[in-house]
Amino acid sequence: MGGSSKTVRKLEVATPVPADIDIANAVEPLHIADIAADLNLSPRHYDLYGKYKAKVLLSVLDEVQETQDGYYVVVGGITPTPLGEGKSTTTVGLCQALGAFLDKKVVTCLRQPSQGPTFGIKGGAAGGGYSQVIPMDEFNLHLTGDIHAITASNNLLAAAIDTRMFHESTQSDKALFNRLCPPNKEGKRTFCNIMHRRLKKLGIDKTNPDDLTPEEVTKFARLDIDPDSITWRRVMDVNDRFLRKISVGQGPDEKGMVRETGFDISVASEIMAVLALTTSLADMRERLGKMVIGNSKAGEPITADDLGLGGALTVLMKDAINPTLMQTLEGTPVLVHAGPFANIAHGNSSIVADKIALKLVGPGGFVVTEAGFGSDIGTEKFMNIKCRYSGLTPQCAIVVATVRALKMHGGGPQVVAGKPLDRAYLTENVGLVEAGCVNLARHIINTKAYGSNVVVAINMFSSDTEAELNAVKKAAMDAGAFDAVICTHHAHGGKGAVDLGIAVQKACENVTQPLRFLYPLDISIKEKIEAIAKSYGAAGVEYSEQAEKKIEMYSKQGFSNLPICMAKTQYSFSHNAAEKGAPSGFILPIRDVRGSIGAGFIYPLVGTMSTMPGLPTRPCFFDIDLDTTTGKVIGLS
Amino acid sequence: MGGSSKTVRKLEVATPVPADIDIANAVEPLHIADIAADLNLSPRHYDLYGKYKAKVLLSVLDEVQETQDGYYVVVGGITPTPLGEGKSTTTVGLCQALGAFLDKKVVTCLRQPSQGPTFGIKGGAAGGGYSQVIPMDEFNLHLTGDIHAITASNNLLAAAIDTRMFHESTQSDKALFNRLCPPNKEGKRTFCNIMHRRLKKLGIDKTNPDDLTPEEVTKFARLDIDPDSITWRRVMDVNDRFLRKISVGQGPDEKGMVRETGFDISVASEIMAVLALTTSLADMRERLGKMVIGNSKAGEPITADDLGLGGALTVLMKDAINPTLMQTLEGTPVLVHAGPFANIAHGNSSIVADKIALKLVGPGGFVVTEAGFGSDIGTEKFMNIKCRYSGLTPQCAIVVATVRALKMHGGGPQVVAGKPLDRAYLTENVGLVEAGCVNLARHIINTKAYGSNVVVAINMFSSDTEAELNAVKKAAMDAGAFDAVICTHHAHGGKGAVDLGIAVQKACENVTQPLRFLYPLDISIKEKIEAIAKSYGAAGVEYSEQAEKKIEMYSKQGFSNLPICMAKTQYSFSHNAAEKGAPSGFILPIRDVRGSIGAGFIYPLVGTMSTMPGLPTRPCFFDIDLDTTTGKVIGLS
């Protein structure tokens, strides 16, 4: 494979760089079938969703098994400001460089954005400037419905939990059993397929419902969920802070079964994590069924399959498992899959998207996949969770850095989204930059420890000076980077990331180390948490009483061999967002520990993490409208 | 146009009729592009969503303006049992007959099913037996995401309401204004587009924010929403009874601003009603912006545009406005659009789908559109609301009847979903049928009053006897039906509805009356409610204190000229589901009155209507699974 794409588009760039939506709207995207054809995908390998999106079917993997994988590149970053340091933009720009200028087969793997931030503060996530995924409105809105499918399935499970408790509270064991296994016209009862899973779990080796003893009837029919143990929350892909903590069941028909619970943003759903980490339809079916929603009063974990739902959830998710093919401004292919919010969730693009992409580009080609936030969060989870489940090894890890963020780490004033930047960020201050490079250095060292070659991509802003940029380069090389490259892909598209592309290619071709995880799976939950904490610079870990109890519980339930997914602020190596640079010696507090058993990880909550963002006084939505004459979206950023 | 479809498929029918999903899975659907081509749609007129679904773009209407409309047929029914009387099945069967056996151009217009019932008690809504829309799993699940778009936009508006109240409670007028109209880098403020709508509403004729007086700043920036007046609720397309009544805002960050509210099923959202009743993108933009969410403390209605959201909601709904093209088992085209739940909502397929369909079939062709439940609900709303807004006139109205339901109306035992039918329904009892025909007669008389010719479709079951069927036929003709025809489309597909097709054609060709509405718009809200109540057989209407207050309020706010959308049980002409047959002389209680001002109607709540269904002890989802080898859905009913 490799080389000579037919879809590459020449960009005409303007100065100053116009608004993202204007750049995106000015380019007529290619029909996605052309992008697919360029990847040797035949129409039976994908389903079109309009003219510019297509779902690539998982079945394509069966046909390309013999093909060797391409190079695997992960993009992480330094500890960001609330404005973001252009990680998605760099990911897209690099791929435009590789595909449109360096004649490589390349696929960009990105996460589907949440509509919460799109209408809230942050805006969309399609990249920016001349490095974008297009059509950017379709990328940011609905896409092909994966997040909606997650919302629907997550909430069906939530409804089933409360309703099951309700029905159990009003019915005898026998009545429950009669309803679960009703006699047919001939008076014969049967277990439906999913019920055999519960019977097996309970150790009941019978296939005829009439053979069950009264004790077995009780064990089978009564889940006896402990309401206080329920960890499953409802979700919504909207920034709705008033749903963070709610009471449900206050209607008269629910007979006083009021319960405190709340909503998370949809992308924080365990089902999103399942989607990101699954490897096949059969594997997804098992993971969805294994999801634990809480315990019985006797302390046994209750799963989606116990509730009868593993199959139905899989049906709701059957199309979502297929990644969505789109294109960059320069006509290179993009696979969009799974979701963001790496601070509270797993936050990587999916394993299946990466696997398909690696086969499609083939040997000598490149797959560039994004991991959320700084390397403490995104890259760490990419390596220790995602690569552990996928069996894939990246050859190169990119750390995206900006002069702006390094100045902040060096002691610059606070950066607040929606407020004008302080002058310190717009005028030369090499001292601030140099001081901030301790943050960059730690990200490089931590990332290098996994065995990948680290390339630093310095995402250049027009206010950056040569001296500042050189300071970053020097610090990067001193910390052990394979290379450090200045990029101007925001202003120039792929052309601005050609040097980065060359550096990444060299890094991939010169790997000397195997993949090394930060911790093995067979140590205790606490030992794993402590290994990660140490990489943050912590001197120790402090567990709340609640966290201690939960660790004990998960260990007793047999889940201690899972990897760890820390839920931690992205704004500091530590738990305190205000601690910039490279803090050390602090004690990392673990407030609570939860399990995403189906997805396959334990997630400690470091301090208080909001799992549902809010809207500001003037959200982005004020500017968003439709030109009803042209049908074009306006005001989307 | 007319005649000679190339896509017609010959069905091989089996006896006894296999399960719906097995029939559906046994047929290989045609590529939807072939169905589209048969309607003279070129690829620029539609967007593919996979191989078997396509969104037909509204823009097609611009090109077919000159074409004359085909015949317009609405399908209603008698008062149903909880099992349904096969209205969707009859709609599909009739179209299969017209298209595959009578050589007519035909389009079926159906509503997208809610996923609530699909996973709850009722199962899917793709028709049944040999009269189905296929692929039935795609029809029942997600479709092309319209309901998800409604959920997303409905809940963005809900989040904006609570958050705005929150921000107003913590900020001064000036601070609010500063945040809404922040100065740019040069210190200049501007109003964004949507703000001009609010300024206009307030009578402030200024374009420069700096020119506003302090009083005008207050009026502009402070919506001052009265929390007790909020009628906007959140929605979810899941049967989640525990969300019927909830308290939100219990988190510490929400500072004690706890409020009681609840969730409705998504299809009950006003945005669904907007989708059903809108006629263009520009019209949808206006309707979405005009939606009233509650009042200010001064009693002024507060709209989505006041909150800055009319544009963003339109953007979220921009693809949903395009109906989805699918096919029947016999290869005739189907347009799926808008949603069900006519008891609590408008519950008709969309105006745009019908309009497009009428042009696509052209003169001599047929568009068959379904209206929810009995004629008291579905057909009444179809005529008085939908046809009033669309300007379209049906030539024929079908009333679907079953021997089973007529026996119930004649005094037969209760029919309960999920429980075996009483013997009375499976053995001949002409007396019960005859007694029940009072229900059928009233539906015929009421429907005929609109000026359409009424054809009764007797949806035959294998247990029905000739004497029973003849009794229904006779009663129908006595009540003034144009014709009454026995159909076996469930068992035989279109072939079983050929006689119905011929009767419908004759009815369409022999219209003598114009469309007459049940009430004019320019009478009072109460007079309109009373006109509808009279058609139910009520002797009078009784208003709760709350209803009186709301009628006064809506009248004062200038909304008394809107049509009325009754929220009433579908199981009786009256408000009492237990009153079968043709009750009369009762007093109809109006518990509350609400407004869907954007959609364009006032909706009185007759008695207590649940706007959020619940799940039973053993929901349908127990049987639903995915065959992970073939990727096929199993157990969906």
Side-chain angles (χ1 to χ4, degrees), chain B residues 74 379-385 387-388 394 450 452 515 517:
Chain B
V74 61
T379 310
E380 188 273 303
K381 292 173 185 174
F382 172 82
M383 300 287 185
N384 292 304
I385 304 176
C387 289
R388 185 132 34 191
Y450 294 106
S452 308
L515 174 58
F517 298 121

Side-chain angles (χ1 to χ4, degrees), chain B residues 119-193:
Chain B
F119 290 101
I121 303 187
K122 185 173 163 283
Y130 286 101
S131 295
Q132 289 190 61
V133 182
I134 54 171
M136 77 91 107
D137 56 339
E138 299 199 20
F139 178 82
N140 285 310
L141 303 166
H142 307 308
L143 196 72
T144 49
D146 297 351
I147 294 180
H148 294 323
I150 288 166
T151 305
S153 43
N154 183 99
N155 294 343
L156 179 59
L157 179 51
I161 296 166
D162 278 308
T163 316
R164 181 65 176 251
M165 289 197 294
F166 176 77
H167 289 305
E168 289 194 15
S169 78
T170 60
Q171 293 175 39
S172 70
D173 296 349
K174 209 179 146 192
L176 266 177
F177 189 67
N178 275 345
R179 287 211 167 82
L180 288 170
C181 304
N184 65 9
K185 280 175 196 166
E186 290 81 43
K188 212 180 123 50
R189 297 173 191 282
T190 46
F191 290 120
C192 65
N193 269 332

Side-chain angles (χ1 to χ4, degrees), chain A residues 47-48 50-51 234 240 316, chain B residues 47-48 50-51 142 234 240:
Chain A
D47 279 340
L48 292 173
K51 295 164 184 72
R234 291 170 177 83
D240 193 347
L316 279 168
Chain B
D47 278 340
L48 292 174
K51 295 164 183 73
H142 307 308
R234 290 169 177 83
D240 193 346

Side-chain angles (χ1 to χ4, degrees), chain B residues 424-553:
Chain B
Y425 295 103
L426 304 168
T427 50
E428 182 174 280
N429 191 330
V430 179
L432 267 188
V433 175
E434 283 174 344
C437 280
V438 290
N439 183 271
L440 172 62
R442 188 182 285 167
H443 284 289
I444 294 169
I445 293 162
N446 281 3
T447 304
K448 222 181 141 182
Y450 294 106
S452 308
N453 281 329
V454 175
V455 173
V456 175
I458 309 168
N459 182 20
M460 185 179 153
F461 286 47
S462 58
S463 52
D464 298 347
T465 70
E466 211 183 319
E468 289 173 333
L469 294 164
N470 283 335
V472 183
K473 265 183 104 156
K474 183 173 179 307
M477 298 311 287
D478 288 351
F482 182 88
D483 204 346
V485 186
I486 295 160
C487 326
T488 61
H489 45 273
H490 186 274
H492 303 121
K495 202 175 166 189
V498 166
D499 290 347
L500 178 63
I502 293 168
V504 165
Q505 185 182 353
K506 277 195 197 139
C508 287
E509 289 166 353
N510 289 282
V511 177
T512 55
Q513 311 263 2
L515 174 58
R516 285 188 306 265
F517 298 121
L518 185 57
Y519 54 83
L521 289 184
D522 59 1
I523 57 176
S524 72
I525 292 175
K526 281 194 174 180
E527 288 169 310
K528 283 182 265 197
I529 292 175
E530 283 148 25
I532 299 170
K534 204 174 146 192
S535 79
Y536 294 162
V541 178
E542 188 176 74
Y543 301 91
S544 73
E545 203 181 312
Q546 169 80 348
E548 292 278 6
K549 263 173 46 188
K550 300 292 276 301
I551 290 172
E552 198 190 316
M553 180 190 88

